[in-house]
Amino acid sequence: MIFAALMFVFGAWNVQQLAQLPSVTWLICAFFIAVAILVTHSRFSSDYLHPIYLSFKLLKQTLFCAAAFLLGICWASGFAYWRMSDALPHAWEQKNIAIEGVVASVPEATERGERFKFDVEKIFTKGAIVPKHISLNHYRSNPYSSYKGDREETTDLNQLHAGERWSLVVRLKRPHGTVNPHGFDFESWALAENIRATGSIKSKAGIKKIDDFVWRPSYIVEHLREQVQKRITKVLAGKPYSGVIQALVMGDDSQISVEDWQVFLRTGTSHLMSISGLHITMLAGLAFGFVSFFWRRSHYLVMKLPTRKAATIAGVVVALAYSLIAGFSVPSQRTFYMLLVFAVALWSGRQLVISQVLAMALFIVVLLDPWAVSSPGFWLSFGAVAMLAYALGGRVGQTHWFQAALKTQYAVTIGMLPLLLVMFGQASIISPIANAFAIPLISFVVTPLALLGSFLPIDTPLSLSYKALEIGMLALKWLNQLPMATWQQHEPAAWTLIPAMLGVLWLLLPRGFPMRWMGLLGFLPMLLLAPTRPALGDMKVTVLDVGQGLSVVVQTAKHNMVYDSGPKYNEQSDAGSRIVVPFLHGEGIKKVDGFVVSHNDIDHSGGMASVFALMPVTWLDSSLPEDADIPDTQRKMHCFAGQVWIWDDVQFEMLHPRAESYDDENIKDNDRSCVLKVTSQAGSVLLTGDIEKPDELELLNLETDKLKSDVIVVPHHGSKTSSTPDFIAAVAPRVSIFTNGYLNRFGHPKPVVFERYRATQSLLYRSDYNGAIEMDFVSKRNIQIVSWRNQYRRYWQDSFESLN
């Protein structure tokens, strides 16, 4: 049963790695083959000890696991076909559509308004097709007002609440995110969350409430969650860690600040700052003990139902209630299903081992949600329990509580290290120390008090909970300041997980087992096989997909340069922390030798602060003004034509702006963009920032002989204000790359500009269609180009027509 459950999960996981779903014919054949195997398996019994029968029994078990694998593929594929059939047609993207439906989640506060899930019930716009489940933004004002100059004030922003039915006019688009090496896959997450379109409410068109509340179980739960959120917000108004309390009570971590998340990640305590299995188990245990204590004192109740069964029901009900209030995330699902399996076993009098319980919970989670296997929390949650069961199970005799605690920390720290390195490229070195006090503090003090204060009309428990959390945060921040708090390295290849996990199992063998240290050898491939660096004279250029913005990373044999840092998305998030730095870490880059910020536009310099905060930077070369937000200790200079440096036989030459341009305060930021040409033995790339027609003319007059390049990152994202025919002819690029966001508000790239580059027979790439573009310039070979959307192709991604 255990192996069959694992094979079912493995089948579901394989589906999530496919570029295209299996055909319906293939799935039908696979289903009937699996059913035939199961029918044959149920009719055959081989309890004899003869070798022939034992071999046949082994074959029988192998076929049973193969059937489970096929069923996992069929189940996950069937779910995928069903969910993806509910989609927004491309023809209806960015068009006003009148709909009616229900607010299906607690509105989440954002910088410019609020965001929530919405269940569509009716569509009033003739001919429109809208998915049943969408995500909407309700903006405080027009999010693009700074560009358009119009201020579209909404009515009362907080008028929409969970469970209410509304009539709205919305503008939608299909789920589309950035696709980068070592990056987050928004489209996969949206599919798992059953968000089939995203968009915003058009307030000018009018919004109208239809019903105060729609009575459905899921909406009732969301309504209760919203009431809890309001209470926490009211009692802890203005408190910096109120978002952590909200995460502990209701599983919503959206209000935790970026700085606090960094502390939790570096100290290895992030698993505690949301709903963890430990919290649910603790509450269920308290309910079990409370009911058991009073139940057994009533002769009448005991005669009606045995104490253990009554207490078991109470524990399961409390676990379910807390899991629902917490949003029923993967860790809460895993814990609830495990407790449910244990409860059924206790009720029926059966004895189950932890491996059976874990396998059954694993099977149930994937059966109900095949996309759970794409969540890091799924593997970390089940992996931690599996490691504890393996390390601590089967021990003989009593163990002192302190020794047991040390064994638990050792097992979790060692056991989770390979997964953490493969998924995040980092692991906390100080996590055993941090967790030693954070686990009891959060689980037995902060969380119970926060829950009491959230559901009782008394403020004191919430205040006490917050005071305890403040003490814990002081300790965690002190640990975070230690110089070696985190082990950071390149993101290992997935296959290195196998020898590393075998090494973990060897290290966790009982004390006294000979040569346990040899388990460390399993980590060698993961630690030593770093990404290959370019050879002397060669380079690797990666144009990252940052949405509507620009960021390029250039790697030579021993040096690394970042050109621009992408946009700032909001106060909590920017491309520097979400895309650029994760890419650098994933590539094993520990230092940025040169950082060029072309100009002072938020789509080019928006992630700069995060790069400075998270990576050592040797020097900054930019056209930024003197009052720009740059660390005082940072070595910096202005970029200007004539700057030249050579790294590892690769030449970097600045072509624009002129040095005297800094004396003219009337020059626009775009016109002062740093234009950089990078030349290797295998080819060259021209990085142009947001230069416009006058700047191109200046370059044609002063630097014509230097413009010719193999690759150009198209100026100003393909705007009509740039890319004159003469400039394109002078550069004569073999490859042209447009960096723009999907359905961006500027309409970049402009069709007329796009056609100019197409007319030159240049190979064309768009970051919104192709994702990140990786180019290897290797001597005596053509430029090797990889489009990350093609390299990382998955069945849920849109297919775009060929650009060439």
Side-chain angles (χ1 to χ4, degrees), residues 553-571:
V553 177
V554 180
Q555 301 176 59
T556 65
K558 297 180 181 179
H559 294 82
N560 309 287
M561 187 203 75
V562 174
Y563 180 93
D564 282 347
S565 56
K568 184 172 186 176
Y569 305 118
N570 52 56
E571 288 300 322

Side-chain angles (χ1 to χ4, degrees), residues 474-628:
L474 285 174
L476 290 177
K477 287 186 174 182
W478 181 82
L479 288 173
N480 182 52
Q481 298 301 317
L482 297 177
M484 289 295 292
T486 304
W487 170 264
Q488 186 81 53
Q489 66 156 65
H490 64 275
E491 187 174 301
W495 69 266
T496 62
L497 185 63
I498 297 174
M501 290 307 299
L502 292 175
V504 165
L505 297 179
W506 192 268
L507 287 170
L508 293 180
L509 287 170
R511 182 184 299 177
F513 200 89
M515 303 182 73
R516 280 199 306 164
W517 61 269
M518 290 188 65
L520 296 173
L521 299 178
F523 286 87
L524 292 181
M526 182 172 283
L527 298 175
L528 299 181
L529 296 180
T532 304
R533 297 285 303 190
L536 195 67
D538 297 339
M539 65 178 178
K540 178 180 178 181
V541 179
T542 305
V543 181
L544 294 171
D545 178 11
V546 296
Q548 184 67 19
L550 177 63
S551 183
V552 181
V553 177
V554 180
Q555 301 176 59
T556 65
K558 297 180 181 179
H559 294 82
N560 309 287
M561 187 203 75
V562 174
Y563 180 93
D564 282 347
S565 56
K568 184 172 186 176
Y569 305 118
N570 52 56
E571 288 300 322
Q572 294 284 334
S573 176
D574 58 59
S577 60
R578 286 180 52 183
I579 297 172
V580 180
V581 172
F583 173 79
L584 297 174
H585 285 162
E587 293 291 299
I589 295 173
K590 299 184 182 302
K591 181 181 70 170
V592 175
D593 298 288
F595 187 14
V596 177
V597 177
S598 63
H599 63 296
N600 193 33
D601 269 4
I602 198 168
D603 58 334
H604 292 253
S605 62
M608 178 179 66
S610 292
V611 174
F612 282 131
L614 301 174
M615 290 290 294
V617 177
T618 302
W619 51 256
L620 170 70
D621 198 14
S622 75
S623 63
L624 298 176
E626 294 297 331
D627 60 351

